[in-house]
């Protein structure tokens, strides 16, 4: 049996060569694709947790040590700390198109191992840094590693294994980014308090060296055909024509060049940049705000709030992702942004008593937007150039995140380390993102339906 493109379907054979016949019920065996989902989820927990979601718990300790040693000036400390995350985000965004090209040239497992090595080395170098440029270099390496062991590669890996259940599989895997934001702060904070931030960073790097790398080596299979299976473990592979190569000229939708000429692309891209502004600031710099004298949270309590926000984002990914299958996705995107915006209103009068009132709705909303941004690219522009358009939008998202981080750090420095005014701008940015999603709802039916037909 063959599907589009002449690729041979091997689903009639099990991993040990057994044939599928009337006496063999494929539904009674465990599908190896769920092992791939588990590995990819853990991969995002470790890679995103150690480079983005969990790494901010180290920021205060690094900042204080570097001020004490004279490595950074106290009046520029918040801007410099903001740059740590900015370098990671920007490098990750710029690496995404390069990684997309490499995926077509080299085995997925090899690229994942490359990403792990870069990540592990970056953490070890980071732990020994005594100058700001050393941390910047380590953060650039972390960003580069995400191109090979982060969201892009893991979602493509999982897409190889699932078609009918791709949405469920993707939803589970993308929760790995949020799990990283929960687990790493709770793991790293007591290690920092007991052993210092340098030793703690070396210890958490063992998640890469001793757990993730062996898991990839022994368990990752790039495609189900490699072990004689079909996607979804489905013996009837007739539907696999839907999984044709995404670059095929026969697929419906717009090319990247055509998408760039549509107004809806730029409204969508602006919305994405405005969403990543508050997302970056809240995941990277909120913990510093919570530790100021004005809010007065302990290190453990502040780390706990970041973990709660990450937990809420998991619920948002599942909840809003499920809702987007039941109602208009652009409307769900609007609900996500509205939920985020409601949370940011508490920055108008922020204190320790209302932190949860921000963290809970904001986490729910940003979890939903994380899923909806990727889905809406396919809804708006079709599958023809999905990977290229996603890569382009990813770069714009990272620019929005970088601008948010830089502005927040600069405003905090201008106010003597007080983040109150800087986080009011988070409210403004989230409100602007909400306005963009309103326009998207008005534009979607009118413009994209005609473009994709």
């Amino acid at each position: 049996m063959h599907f589009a493109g002449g690729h041979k379907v091997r689903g009639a054979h099990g991993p040990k060569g057994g044939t599928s016949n009337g006496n063999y019920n494929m539904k009674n065996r465990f599908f190896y694709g769920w092992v791939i989902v588990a590995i990819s989820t853990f991969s995002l927990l470790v890679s995103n947790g150690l480079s983005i979601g969990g790494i901010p718990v180290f920021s205060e300790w690094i900042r204080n040590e570097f001020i004490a040693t004279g490595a950074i000036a106290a009046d520029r400390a918040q801007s410099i700390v903001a740059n740590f995350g900015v370098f990671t985000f920007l490098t990750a965004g710029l690496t995404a198109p390069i990684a997309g090209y490499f995926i077509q040239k080299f085995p997925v497992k090899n690229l994942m191992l490359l990403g792990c090595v870069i990540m592990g080395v970056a953490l070890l170098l980071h732990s020994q840094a005594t100058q700001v440029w050393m941390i910047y270099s380590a953060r650039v390496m972390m960003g580069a590693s995400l191109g090979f062991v982060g969201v892009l590669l893991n979602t493509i890996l999982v897409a190889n294994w699932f078609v009918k259940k791709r949405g469920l599989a993707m939803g589970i895997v993308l929760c790995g980014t949020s799990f990283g934001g929960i687990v790493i702060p709770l793991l790293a904070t007591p290690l920092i308090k007991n052993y210092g931030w340098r030793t703690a960073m070396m210890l958490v790097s063992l998640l890469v060296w001793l757990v993730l790398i062996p898991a990839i080596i022994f368990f990752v299979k790039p495609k189900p055909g490699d072990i004689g299976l079909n996607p979804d473990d489905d013996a009837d592979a007739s539907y696999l024509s839907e999984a044709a190569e995404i670059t095929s000229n026969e697929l419906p939708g717009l090319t990247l060049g055509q998408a760039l000429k549509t107004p809806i692309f730029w409204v969508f891209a602006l919305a994405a940049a405005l969403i990543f502004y508050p997302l970056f600031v809240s995941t990277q710099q909120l913990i510093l705000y919570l530790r100021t004298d004005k809010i007065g949270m302990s290190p453990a309590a502040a780390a706990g709030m970041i973990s709660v926000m990450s937990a809420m984002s998991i619920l948002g990914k599942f909840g809003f992702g499920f809702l987007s299958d039941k109602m208009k996705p652009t409307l769900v995107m609007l609900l996500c942004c509205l939920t985020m915006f409601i949370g940011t209103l508490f920055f108008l009068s922020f204190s320790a008593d209302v932190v949860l009132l921000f963290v809970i709705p904001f986490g729910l909303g940003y979890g939903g937007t994380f899923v909806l941004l990727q889905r809406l690219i396919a809804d708006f522009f079709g599958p023809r150039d999905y990977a290229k358009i996603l890569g382009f939008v990813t770069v714009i998202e990272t620019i929005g995140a970088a601008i948010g981080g830089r502005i927040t750090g600069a405003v905090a420095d201008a106010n003597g380390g007080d983040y109150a005014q800087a986080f009011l701008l988070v409210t403004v940015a989230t409100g602007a993102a909400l306005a963009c999603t309103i326009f998207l709802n008005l534009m979607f039916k009118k413009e994209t339906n005609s473009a994709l037909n």
Side-chain angles (χ1 to χ4, degrees):
M1 183 181 298
H2 292 72
F3 65 94
H7 294 80
K8 187 175 180 181
V9 174
R10 302 168 62 188
H13 299 274
K16 294 183 179 180
T19 59
S20 176
N21 53 45
N23 297 323
Y24 185 80
N25 186 353
M26 297 183 73
K27 293 184 179 179
N28 289 335
R29 69 177 180 182
F30 177 77
F31 179 44
Y32 196 83
W34 296 113
V35 175
I36 300 299
V37 167
I39 298 299
S40 290
T41 303
F42 182 71
S43 176
L44 292 186
L45 184 158
V46 173
S47 62
N48 280 58
L50 292 177
S51 62
I52 296 176
I55 200 73
V57 299
F58 290 89
S59 297
E60 178 188 1
W61 307 86
I62 296 171
R63 180 195 63 190
N64 293 345
E65 179 184 309
F66 276 39
I67 290 175
T69 61
I72 59 176
D75 60 351
R76 297 187 62 243
Q78 311 308 328
S79 295
I80 290 174
V81 170
N83 286 340
F84 296 167
V86 167
F87 274 98
T88 302
F89 261 74
L90 277 177
T91 308
L94 296 174
T95 303
I98 300 172
Y101 172 79
F102 283 164
I103 287 170
Q104 298 176 332
K105 302 294 182 181
F106 302 101
V108 169
K109 179 184 287 191
N110 292 356
L111 294 177
M112 294 181 74
L113 291 174
L114 173 63
C116 287
V117 171
I118 295 173
M119 170 67 70
V121 171
L123 287 166
L124 294 178
L125 291 177
H126 199 310
S127 71
Q128 303 305 308
T130 56
Q131 300 293 327
V132 171
W133 69 266
M134 298 172 71
I135 293 183
Y136 286 169
S137 299
R139 291 303 183 98
V140 166
M141 292 178 65
M142 289 179 180
S145 74
L146 291 177
F148 302 103
V149 71
V151 170
L152 176 66
L153 193 141
N154 279 285
T155 53
I156 290 175
L157 173 63
V158 171
N160 288 339
W161 280 84
F162 293 89
V163 176
K164 287 182 176 179
K165 298 179 180 179
R166 185 174 291 170
L168 174 62
M170 290 286 191
I172 295 171
V173 169
L174 288 175
C175 285
T177 61
S178 298
F179 287 135
I182 297 171
V183 173
I184 300 303
L186 296 180
L187 176 66
T189 300
L191 291 176
I192 295 171
K193 292 180 67 176
N194 291 327
Y195 304 107
W197 73 266
R198 296 178 184 278
T199 300
M201 190 168 284
M202 288 190 286
L203 290 174
V204 296
S205 76
L206 296 179
L207 288 171
V208 178
W209 297 112
L210 300 184
V211 185
L212 184 54
I213 288 179
I216 292 171
I217 291 174
F218 292 111
F219 296 110
V220 167
K221 312 295 180 184
K223 296 179 181 179
D226 294 340
I227 55 174
L229 299 175
N230 282 331
D232 298 305
D233 206 19
D234 197 333
D236 178 13
S238 60
Y239 71 89
L240 287 178
S241 59
E242 301 172 11
E245 290 295 328
I246 206 162
T247 56
S248 171
N249 290 330
E250 298 178 0
L251 288 176
L254 306 181
T255 65
L256 174 60
Q258 291 170 333
L260 293 176
K261 296 177 182 178
T262 63
I264 198 170
F265 175 87
W266 295 106
V267 175
F268 178 80
L270 178 59
L274 288 169
I275 287 169
F276 266 72
Y277 179 128
L279 192 156
F280 175 90
V281 172
S282 297
T283 57
Q284 301 296 302
Q285 292 160 290
L286 175 64
I287 193 168
L288 297 175
Y289 190 8
L290 300 181
R291 290 285 295 131
T292 60
D293 292 338
K294 179 179 180 180
I295 308 301
M297 282 194 167
S298 67
M305 289 298 102
I306 302 302
S307 294
V308 170
M309 184 164 62
S310 296
M312 291 300 102
S313 74
I314 293 174
L315 295 179
K317 287 172 183 176
F318 275 116
F320 286 116
F322 174 80
L323 196 59
S324 71
D325 289 331
K326 304 299 180 181
M327 57 190 295
K328 186 179 177 182
T330 49
L331 182 57
V332 178
M333 182 71 167
L334 177 60
L335 293 175
C336 292
C337 287
L338 177 61
T339 305
M340 291 173 63
F341 181 64
I342 290 172
T344 62
L345 291 177
F346 288 97
F347 287 133
L348 299 175
S349 181
F350 202 53
S351 67
D353 295 332
V354 301
V355 172
L356 273 177
L357 297 179
F358 159 72
V359 164
I360 292 174
F362 186 86
L364 287 170
Y366 102 65
T369 59
F370 192 80
V371 174
L372 267 295
L373 283 172
Q374 298 182 70
R375 170 178 180 150
L376 285 176
I377 291 175
D379 289 347
F380 287 163
F381 310 111
R384 183 174 181 179
D385 257 2
Y386 176 84
K388 292 180 181 178
I389 296 172
L390 176 60
F392 198 95
V393 172
T394 298
V395 174
I396 294 174
E397 289 171 347
T398 58
I399 292 172
I403 291 173
R406 291 285 295 170
I407 289 176
T408 303
V411 173
D413 277 335
N415 287 275
D418 185 353
Y419 279 88
Q421 290 187 18
F423 273 80
L424 288 178
L425 296 176
V426 170
T427 304
V428 174
T430 310
L434 176 61
C436 285
T437 59
I438 293 173
F439 279 109
L440 287 175
N441 275 269
L442 296 174
M443 298 172 69
F444 176 58
K445 184 175 181 180
K446 177 180 179 181
E447 184 168 336
T448 52
N449 285 354
S450 60
L452 297 179
N453 291 330

